[in-house]
Amino acid sequence: MTRPLRTRVSPLVAFGAVLAAAGAVLYAVPVPGAPVLAAGAFVLATAAALWAAANQR
């Protein structure tokens, strides 16, 4: 019987991945509401980091 594979994701990795993806999109597609989108990406990254931190054991 094999054990399930568990990967531990650091909260900083989750935070950085979301912000890097959002930054790439904002760089490629400049829009008038970029500051609002950047703030939303920051909130999403924070939520992802908190979720990753809560699920670590």
Side-chain angles (χ1 to χ4, degrees):
M1 182 179 238
T2 61
R3 293 182 4 183
L5 179 65
R6 286 190 183 180
T7 58
R8 293 186 180 186
V9 177
S10 169
L12 289 177
V13 171
F15 190 79
V18 172
L19 286 182
V25 169
L26 287 174
Y27 180 76
V29 184
V31 292
V36 174
L37 290 175
F42 186 76
V43 169
L44 180 64
T46 303
L50 289 174
W51 177 80
N55 286 331
Q56 278 188 336
R57 290 184 185 199

